Amino acid sequence: MATPTYQPRATPSSDGWRNPPIGGAPAGGGPRLSHEPRPDERQAAPTGPRPQPGFGLRGPRRSPHVLTAESLGSLTLPVAEDGVIVGIDPQNQPAVLSVLRPNPLEVALVGSMWLAQVLALRTVATGARVAVETARPPAWGQMAHAAGGGQQCVSVHEVRQIAPQGPSVSSPVLVVRDMGARPPRNQLAPSPWQTVLTVLPFLGPRSPQMLARADLVCLQRLSPEEAEVVTRTMRLPAQIGQVLPTLSDNAMLWCTRDSHEFVMTQPTEAETQLLGQPRRMD
C-alpha cells in the first residue's frame, strides 16, 4: 500500500494560527508583522520609551483637576422640589406640587374634570397609581386607557365601589373623587402615601366645610358669590378674591389658609390631543 501524503500544516509559531508574542517579531526571525515599524523607521523614531504593540495609544498627559480641602465648603448642588409640575408661577418658573407625601393629604379642586385629568396624568408620570371614583366612568375611561402606555396605572370605579388601594412608599396612590358638588363620604381610610383629590364643579351647600377641612385647595374661575365664600373660608386677601371671577380657563389659585399662589397650566401636545383645550366647565 502506498504511503498517504498530506498537505503541509502551518506550524504553531506561524501568525496564521496564533497571535504573535507581544513586544516584537516571532522568535527566531521571520517576516515583519504589519503593525511593526520597518528598520529604517526604528532608526528615525525619536528617543524615549515606545508604546508596546497591542496596548493602544497613550492618553493625554494633562494635570488632574485638584480641589483643596478649604474649597470643599463652597461646592453646592442646586436641588429643586420634587413632585408634579402643575404649571408656571407669575415669575414664569415651574410650579411644583408635592402631591404624594408620607402623611395623608386631602386636596379639594373647585374646577373642571379637564384639570383633574391633567393632574392625574402628570401624577402617573411620576410613577404613582391613580384610582378614580366617579359617577361618570365613560368620561374617565379614555384617559385611563391612554395613561401608562398600556399598563394599568389608572383604575376607574363606580361610586362606593372602590376598594382599599394599599399605598406604600414604593407605590403611592392618588385617589380622585369626581361625584358632583355633593360627593358622598369617602370610604377609604386615610393612609400614608395616599392623597385624595375631590373634584367640585361648583360650590354646594357643604363645600365650605370641605374647603376648611382640606389641606390644599385649588380654585379655577368662580362666580363673584362663590369667590366671596372662598375668600372668607380660606382667609384670602380681598384683592385675591376679586381676581378669582376673572381667571382664564388655564389659570388657577392654589391656596391654604396661610399661603396662596397663582399658577397657569400649560398642557403638552399629548395632553391636548387626549383631553382637548383647557376649560372651566365640562
Side-chain angles (χ1 to χ4, degrees):
M1 180 182 295
T3 304
T5 59
Y6 300 91
Q7 294 293 332
R9 300 176 58 186
T11 61
S13 62
S14 65
D15 60 347
W17 290 84
R18 188 176 62 183
N19 292 330
I22 297 176
R32 179 181 59 85
L33 301 181
S34 60
H35 68 274
E36 290 189 340
R38 295 192 301 271
D40 55 339
E41 293 176 339
R42 285 197 186 98
Q43 309 222 345
T47 59
R50 295 194 305 270
Q52 295 294 328
F55 285 96
L57 300 176
R58 299 182 65 183
R61 294 297 179 261
R62 297 191 179 97
S63 301
H65 296 285
V66 178
L67 185 67
T68 62
E70 293 76 10
S71 303
L72 291 176
S74 61
L75 290 179
T76 59
L77 179 63
V79 178
E81 298 180 1
D82 60 342
V84 177
I85 298 179
V86 296
I88 57 174
D89 60 17
Q91 289 73 39
N92 204 31
Q93 297 297 317
V96 182
L97 177 63
S98 181
V99 175
L100 302 164
R101 307 178 184 181
N103 300 321
L105 184 67
E106 293 280 344
V107 182
L109 166 61
V110 184
S112 62
M113 182 181 63
W114 178 89
L115 179 56
Q117 291 183 339
V118 168
L119 296 176
L121 284 174
R122 297 185 180 186
T123 303
V124 168
T126 65
R129 293 181 289 125
V130 174
V132 183
E133 183 182 7
T134 177
R136 41 184 178 177
W140 285 86
Q142 182 180 6
M143 190 280 291
H145 180 72
Q151 298 182 1
Q152 189 62 28
C153 299
V154 180
S155 58
V156 181
H157 310 268
E158 297 278 356
V159 178
R160 298 186 183 277
Q161 298 299 316
I162 187 171
Q165 299 298 306
S168 64
V169 63
S170 60
S171 182
V173 179
L174 172 65
V175 178
V176 180
R177 308 186 72 233
D178 176 32
M179 292 169 285
R182 302 182 64 178
R185 185 180 298 274
N186 186 15
Q187 293 182 316
L188 299 180
S191 302
W193 298 107
Q194 177 174 282
T195 297
V196 178
L197 172 65
T198 303
V199 183
L200 304 173
F202 52 86
L203 295 183
R206 293 186 300 173
S207 297
Q209 291 80 6
M210 294 182 60
L211 298 181
R213 188 172 62 249
D215 301 303
L216 186 63
V217 174
C218 178
L219 305 169
Q220 281 189 284
R221 185 173 60 249
L222 303 176
S223 67
E225 295 76 16
E226 291 175 321
E228 292 181 4
V229 174
V230 170
T231 301
R232 182 172 59 254
T233 303
M234 300 303 299
R235 302 173 185 172
L236 296 173
Q239 60 270 26
I240 298 297
Q242 296 172 1
V243 174
L244 291 176
T246 65
L247 294 178
S248 61
D249 288 345
N250 61 337
M252 69 202 76
L253 177 71
W254 289 91
C255 63
T256 65
R257 293 200 170 193
D258 300 322
S259 61
H260 58 272
E261 183 73 70
F262 283 104
V263 175
M264 179 175 294
T265 299
Q266 296 178 321
T268 63
E269 182 179 353
E271 292 169 346
T272 302
Q273 292 178 355
L274 179 62
L275 306 176
Q277 295 295 328
R279 54 189 178 270
R280 169 60 180 90
M281 297 297 295
D282 298 292

